[in-house]
Amino acid sequence: MKVINLHQEEKELIELAVENNRHAQHKIYSKFSPKMLSVCRQYIKDIHEAEDIMITAFMKVFTNLKNFEHKGSFEGWIRRIMINECISFIRVQKKVKFIEDEDFFEERFNNIESQFSVDEIQFLIDNLPDGYKMVFNLYCIEGFKHQEIATMLGINEGTSKSQLSHARKMLQEQVNKLKNYTNGTQ
């Protein structure tokens, strides 16, 4: 019964926000902004730029709220808008270059060990080139398939796979350096 009530409350809140009810919009923003800032921060290194992009994306959320069809997760719908806004920002900044790699082969990598904090892992991801970071986030964090990523970024599927492989390899190298540093062997 609670699940139905919670879903109904969210639906009513959305309907009020569609009618430009500021209180409802504020409730939506307050509920989702911490998570969405985190999403933006995955793609945008500078916290202030990430916050600006999140606010711009929320404006798009409220502008397009009437188009939400209640068929999937509302949070997922908002998240997708955030991701698209981050990708658009990076494209406008011309910070991303995708390199075609004809000789790419997919390697297996170890998972990053749990000895690292979230901040340390985010630091490692932030140090990836923007193309690697976008594909890594879309594939590993968001769960998109390479075909979807290729469509979103305007690249071919092989390039997406190559970017992911290079990102993983670079992260593995950074993890090894960090491990050696924290163990005092470097």
Side-chain angles (χ1 to χ4, degrees), residues 47-59:
I47 187 69
H48 301 293
E49 285 182 342
E51 190 173 25
D52 288 346
I53 292 163
M54 179 198 68
I55 290 168
T56 301
F58 263 110
M59 292 301 295

Side-chain angles (χ1 to χ4, degrees), residues 94-109:
K94 296 186 186 339
K95 289 183 177 181
V96 63
K97 291 190 187 278
F98 295 102
I99 300 167
E100 295 286 336
D101 191 352
E102 301 292 328
D103 301 323
F104 134 83
F105 66 97
E106 196 164 348
E107 297 181 44
R108 296 279 177 212
F109 296 96

Side-chain angles (χ1 to χ4, degrees), residues 139-150:
Y139 187 84
C140 295
I141 311 271
E142 304 299 337
F144 288 105
K145 305 285 184 235
H146 285 293
Q147 185 178 10
E148 295 171 304
I149 295 168

Side-chain angles (χ1 to χ4, degrees), residues 115-116 175-186:
Q115 73 188 42
F116 299 113
V175 164
N176 290 337
K177 283 182 186 177
L178 189 58
K179 267 201 274 189
N180 291 338
Y181 180 76
T182 55
N183 292 334
T185 58
Q186 189 173 25

Side-chain angles (χ1 to χ4, degrees), residues 54-66:
M54 179 198 68
I55 290 168
T56 301
F58 263 110
M59 292 301 295
K60 290 185 178 183
V61 165
F62 294 127
T63 301
N64 294 296
L65 204 51
K66 62 188 171 294

